[in-house]
Amino acid sequence: MEHKNLLVSTSTNLSHCDHHLAIKEINEAHELTRQLRAVLLPSLPAGSLAEVAREILDNIIKSSSLAVFMLQSGGHGHQTSKQHGQGGRPMLDGHKRRKSQNAWSIVTSVPYEDGHQWTKYGQKRINSAKYPRYYHRCIYHKDQDCPATKTVQKVDSDADPPEFIVVYHMQHRCRSIDTHIPFVMESAEASLVKNKSRTDTPSSGDTQMTHLLLSDEISNIPLTPEQWNLDNDLDPVMSFFEFADADLFTAVF
DNA sequence: TGTATTTGACCTGT
DNA sequence: ACAGGTCAAATACA
């Protein structure tokens, strides 16, 4: 409700620069909330208080995610023309279709442990990129025909802690841990070093930053985390609905 | 021995 | 032709 007002005012009155600042601020709030959640919940005794706290924090997290998505779709979203083949011909769902469709990305210092379990199936040196790209798919790819995949690539910068561009492709169809928002609280630099992609118990400690990536093209991932990306076959709003939880949909509209 | 990861080959889109 | 995504045999590891 509050976020609905926020969305209306920002999408109609803010300049392009303001949009970026607003998204940045909301993402910071989002990340801080997640950190608070990670710190607070384990310290609370199991029971109704913990459940209430969890629910409130999750709602804050969802609302902030929603705000960013709606800011993006409210005028500065960028739908690429790549969802159509050359000459405007729609691309078919081929076996090795380029993966710029139905994808969204984030920049994070914690590219793993995002609530889903992944298995690595490939690694590739990317032209002109300093660091290789790692390819992961949901571990339920076979069992439940889950199409979700993600790529992880270290950002070519001196950021401390190191940042990674994580590009998610396709929604999970598996019945796994219930989280659709790809933000995490685990120190995953160590995980990357270990080349370990399966989820373990989250821990806290390091300063970690996660923010939505804004970019013009996922298929040509920029190595500076500047622009927020949502590249989808659907229109921006529908893209969000495919991304978000169903209950988030009903909570807002 | 079973499972996960590595890595070069292969395939497809641009 | 090239770049990027996936496959699958080889390898590592618990």
Side-chain angles (χ1 to χ4, degrees):
Chain A
M1 288 192 275
E2 304 87 49
H3 42 257
K4 198 172 184 179
N5 294 333
L6 168 69
L7 297 170
V8 170
S9 61
T10 53
S11 63
T12 54
N13 297 330
L14 290 181
S15 68
H16 182 87
C17 179
D18 290 336
H19 256 84
H20 284 278
L21 288 172
I23 290 171
K24 180 172 177 288
E25 291 300 321
I26 295 168
N27 279 327
E28 286 189 16
H30 180 107
E31 177 63 16
L32 289 170
T33 307
R34 292 188 64 84
Q35 291 186 25
L36 176 63
R37 187 185 190 279
V39 169
L40 189 62
L41 290 184
S43 68
L44 290 175
S48 60
L49 179 62
E51 281 307 305
V52 169
R54 181 196 306 277
E55 193 169 330
I56 291 171
L57 289 166
D58 285 348
N59 283 335
I60 295 171
I61 291 168
K62 284 183 177 180
S63 292
S64 55
S65 295
L66 171 65
V68 172
F69 270 94
M70 296 304 284
L71 276 171
Q72 191 274 337
S73 63
H76 294 89
H78 180 87
Q79 272 201 291
T80 73
S81 58
K82 292 191 72 178
Q83 55 200 289
H84 298 287
Q86 287 178 330
R89 181 169 45 90
M91 298 202 315
L92 303 174
D93 270 49
H95 173 57
K96 289 195 175 180
R97 175 190 187 189
R98 292 277 179 180
K99 299 185 73 177
S100 61
Q101 291 82 42
N102 212 344
W104 63 99
S105 56
I106 63 170
V107 173
T108 179
S109 62
V110 285
Y112 300 109
E113 331 298 334
D114 54 8
H116 289 280
Q117 292 179 294
W118 305 91
T119 183
K120 184 180 173 184
Y121 66 89
Q123 175 178 332
K124 194 82 177 178
R125 276 223 158 267
I126 300 303
N127 198 29
S128 78
K130 189 173 176 179
Y131 300 102
R133 181 175 298 167
Y134 302 98
Y135 297 86
H136 305 268
R137 65 165 59 99
C138 178
I139 64 165
Y140 301 109
H141 173 74
K142 276 190 174 177
D143 290 356
Q144 300 180 29
D145 196 29
C146 180
T149 63
K150 77 173 183 181
T151 64
V152 175
Q153 189 172 9
K154 190 174 179 181
V155 172
D156 186 6
S157 74
D158 298 325
D160 185 30
E163 291 183 321
F164 302 86
I165 295 174
V166 183
V167 182
Y168 293 86
H169 301 275
M170 307 299 288
Q171 288 294 298
H172 285 273
R173 279 208 296 263
C174 58
R175 287 157 53 90
S176 56
I177 299 169
D178 182 25
T179 172
H180 291 253
I181 303 173
F183 302 96
V184 289
M185 291 302 299
E186 167 87 5
S187 175
E189 166 68 350
S191 300
L192 187 70
V193 170
K194 290 186 292 181
N195 287 316
K196 183 180 175 119
S197 61
R198 302 197 65 162
T199 301
D200 292 308
T201 307
S203 62
S204 59
D206 298 342
T207 301
Q208 297 150 354
M209 286 300 295
T210 299
H211 55 276
L212 295 165
L213 170 68
L214 297 105
S215 69
D216 289 325
E217 286 290 344
I218 284 181
S219 57
N220 294 306
I221 297 169
L223 295 182
T224 54
E226 291 172 342
Q227 289 193 308
W228 147 237
N229 190 347
L230 179 66
D231 189 350
N232 202 298
D233 290 324
L234 309 172
D235 67 50
V237 174
M238 290 310 294
S239 300
F240 163 70
F241 292 145
E242 188 167 334
F243 177 86
D245 285 330
D247 61 347
L248 185 55
F249 174 91
T250 55
V252 176
F253 297 93

